[in-house]
Amino acid sequence: MSATSRNAPCPCGSGRKFKRCCVDALDHPQRVAKGHDAVGERIRAWAFQHHHDAIRAALADITAGHEDVVLGDADIELISTWALGDRELPGGGGTLAQRYARRPDLPADESDVARRIAAARLGLLRVVSVQPGHWIEFDNLAGGGHGHVMSHGVSRAVRRDDMLVARIMEGPPARSLWGPVGRLTRETGRELLDLLKAGIESSGLHDEPGGLATAMYLTAREITTLLAPGLGRAREFDRAA
């Protein structure tokens, strides 16, 4: 998008000129991230208020066998992101984030951001290059190919060839990272590979297009447990911004 002429149609598909649509947002990724974070916080507050039992059940799922562990802020944010975006509610109705996005009382822009948060899925990203404070260029090894994501904060902390487990949120104005981002160590990388192999085996996804991405979705709970710092596994941890 950065190579788009200011007078050309905006690549986000709005039908407006680039200069009257997404150009300002791309120049200020921190502002975009703050807007997304504000919607995410409202989703969390709504979920804890109206679906407290579902949040408690999600916490119990993750900490099973680790009942004596004291969880920190990074753990809670990681678990709540999984609980809101991946954990299907009993009896149908999708996830908590999907249910929030369908609320009839939401303004259109809030509903749009909530839908995109709900659709953000885990990817396995190899960092190709970085412009600190602006974007990360990556290869998504779980499907999705080569691309860029806006990032104000994480782009300042990663380097070329780092391996990240992160959720990619579609634009407008452009794709960005959503929620906690795990940076894989050799140990957690091997454990993640074992999880994905098991997910592919159990689901028969060997020859399916996008099988690895599906395996990441199916094992999102186990990946969340793997990356939780409080459970004694991953130590490298960032918050998407």
Side-chain angles (χ1 to χ4, degrees), residues 43 45 56 71 88 91 105 110 134 137 167 186 208:
I43 295 174
R56 288 177 60 88
L71 299 178
E88 296 283 335
D105 59 323
E110 175 103 355
H134 291 279
E137 182 184 7
R167 295 173 189 273
R186 288 184 181 273
E208 293 290 329

Side-chain angles (χ1 to χ4, degrees), residues 2-93:
S2 60
T4 302
S5 166
R6 290 175 61 86
N7 288 311
C10 188
C12 79
S14 67
R16 292 176 289 180
K17 289 184 178 182
F18 184 46
K19 67 181 180 182
R20 301 190 185 282
C21 192
C22 290
V23 65
D24 185 61
L26 289 175
D27 287 340
H28 301 91
Q30 185 177 19
R31 187 184 304 165
V32 175
K34 284 184 176 180
H36 293 169
D37 284 347
V39 176
E41 288 302 320
R42 288 192 287 273
I43 295 174
R44 289 187 181 94
W46 172 85
F48 275 93
Q49 180 179 357
H50 297 283
H51 297 276
H52 188 67
D53 289 345
I55 298 295
R56 288 177 60 88
L59 185 62
D61 283 349
I62 295 294
T63 58
H66 302 273
E67 287 77 7
D68 296 331
V69 169
V70 177
L71 299 178
D73 291 342
D75 301 292
I76 297 300
E77 185 171 8
L78 181 65
I79 294 169
S80 68
T81 301
W82 168 75
L84 295 174
D86 290 313
R87 190 176 188 271
E88 296 283 335
L89 291 169

Side-chain angles (χ1 to χ4, degrees), residues 125-128 157-164 183-184:
L125 312 183
R126 181 179 68 85
V127 177
V128 175
V158 299
R159 296 174 295 179
R160 181 177 178 176
D161 292 328
D162 278 350
M163 295 294 296
L164 310 177
R183 178 165 32 194
L184 294 177

Side-chain angles (χ1 to χ4, degrees), residues 195-207 211-212 215 219:
L195 282 175
L196 295 177
K197 284 180 178 178
I200 289 173
E201 288 286 342
S202 63
S203 304
L205 296 170
H206 299 86
D207 301 319
L212 188 55
T219 59

Side-chain angles (χ1 to χ4, degrees), residues 134-148:
H134 291 279
W135 50 259
I136 298 170
E137 182 184 7
F138 66 88
D139 288 322
N140 188 353
L141 305 184
H146 185 88
H148 293 74

